[in-house]
Amino acid sequence: VFIGGGTPSLFSSVAIEQLLGTILELAGGNQQIEITLEANPSSAEAERFAGYRKAGVTRLSIGVQSFSNRSLGLLGRVHDKKQAVMAIAAAREAGFSNLNLDLMFSLPGQDENGALDDLETALRFEPNHLSLYQLTIEPNTRFAIDRPVLPDEETDWLIRSTVYDRVAAAGYQRYEVSAFSQPNQHCQHNLNIWQFGDYLGIGAGAH
């Protein structure tokens, strides 16, 4: 089960418990399954995370995106580095041993050292899984209308090669385009999608 997109961590733990209870009942009982919930650092609280853990969530994915306050501001994010660090600490305090961090690279004004700083900060928290995404400009978005200055092709190549080499040296396996995990810590949802497995998408845009 993957509860993601938007900010599902705005839901109360009671609501998540009701949702998961119904899903598991329809799925046929208490199966041992991976249940991921996405969370934004701006909505992170240890008590809330503990409630999700009690409700049955087994894996937390935190949308850090960057540990640079400058980059976060350019991306329009409402959290800062301090909140990102506090969110990770709250997840660990709540008992989440299975943790993913989302990071973006090739951000406006970023070079390979800036991208590596973000990655090194993430690695210090020893997440089980990293999702490393290159910033791409999608049509009909704010960035498509007011396009930021992104790294040129050579700088982008340096950023990507530096990031990929470092994460591999840290012992993470790249098992799909943007997904890196410690051994035997692959996200089951990611694997299913990557291998063209069946899934049921519920919610606006879930298809």
Side-chain angles (χ1 to χ4, degrees), residues 11-18 20 37 45-57 60 90 93-96:
F11 280 96
S12 69
S13 57
V14 173
I16 295 298
E17 184 174 17
Q18 291 174 337
L20 291 177
L37 185 137
E45 301 170 7
E47 185 176 351
R48 181 185 292 266
F49 283 174
Y52 296 147
R53 188 86 181 92
K54 184 179 179 182
V57 176
L60 206 62
E93 184 181 338
F96 281 99

Side-chain angles (χ1 to χ4, degrees), residues 185-204:
Q185 296 292 312
H186 300 349
C187 172
Q188 296 305 305
H189 169 79
N190 285 5
L191 276 178
N192 181 59
I193 300 299
W194 188 242
Q195 296 171 356
F196 299 99
D198 292 332
Y199 68 94
L200 175 64
I202 302 172

Side-chain angles (χ1 to χ4, degrees), residues 24-25 28-33:
L24 294 177
E25 181 181 348
N30 296 319
Q31 304 177 53
Q32 293 297 313
I33 60 175

Side-chain angles (χ1 to χ4, degrees), residues 19 34 37 39-40 44 55 109 158-159 166 171 173 175 180 186 197:
L19 174 66
E34 182 180 273
L37 185 137
N40 279 346
L158 286 171
I159 289 173
R166 178 65 185 98
Q173 301 170 344
Y175 68 96
F180 299 76
H186 300 349

Side-chain angles (χ1 to χ4, degrees), residues 45-46 49 60 62 86-97 99:
E45 301 170 7
F49 283 174
L60 206 62
I62 301 178
M86 289 175 63
I88 297 168
R92 293 303 196 193
E93 184 181 338
F96 281 99
S97 58
L99 181 66

Side-chain angles (χ1 to χ4, degrees), residues 38-100:
E38 289 192 342
N40 279 346
S42 58
S43 58
E45 301 170 7
E47 185 176 351
R48 181 185 292 266
F49 283 174
Y52 296 147
R53 188 86 181 92
K54 184 179 179 182
V57 176
T58 64
R59 182 175 181 273
L60 206 62
S61 178
I62 301 178
V64 172
Q65 314 312 343
S66 176
F67 289 98
S68 161
N69 287 335
R70 176 184 178 276
S71 292
L72 290 169
L74 290 171
L75 290 170
R77 295 290 174 173
V78 296
H79 69 274
D80 59 17
K81 177 181 179 178
K82 182 179 180 180
Q83 287 175 303
V85 170
M86 289 175 63
I88 297 168
R92 293 303 196 193
E93 184 181 338
F96 281 99
S97 58
N98 197 348
L99 181 66
N100 170 70

Side-chain angles (χ1 to χ4, degrees), residues 92-171:
R92 293 303 196 193
E93 184 181 338
F96 281 99
S97 58
N98 197 348
L99 181 66
N100 170 70
L101 300 181
D102 281 353
L103 284 180
M104 301 177 74
F105 60 86
S106 289
L107 302 176
Q110 190 179 61
D111 59 15
E112 65 270 27
N113 291 325
L116 188 59
D117 283 346
D118 270 351
L119 179 58
E120 293 289 1
T121 301
L123 291 174
R124 284 199 288 271
F125 296 107
E126 299 182 340
N128 311 69
H129 192 283
L130 286 165
S131 297
L132 304 177
Y133 300 99
Q134 180 177 353
L135 175 62
T136 55
I137 306 300
E138 300 292 342
N140 304 315
T141 62
R142 180 171 64 86
F143 280 171
I145 297 168
D146 185 15
R147 192 178 183 89
V149 178
L150 300 179
D152 59 32
E153 188 174 338
E154 182 177 352
T155 304
D156 176 63
W157 182 86
L158 286 171
I159 289 173
R160 280 187 286 115
S161 59
T162 299
V163 166
Y164 292 161
D165 288 349
R166 178 65 185 98
V167 77

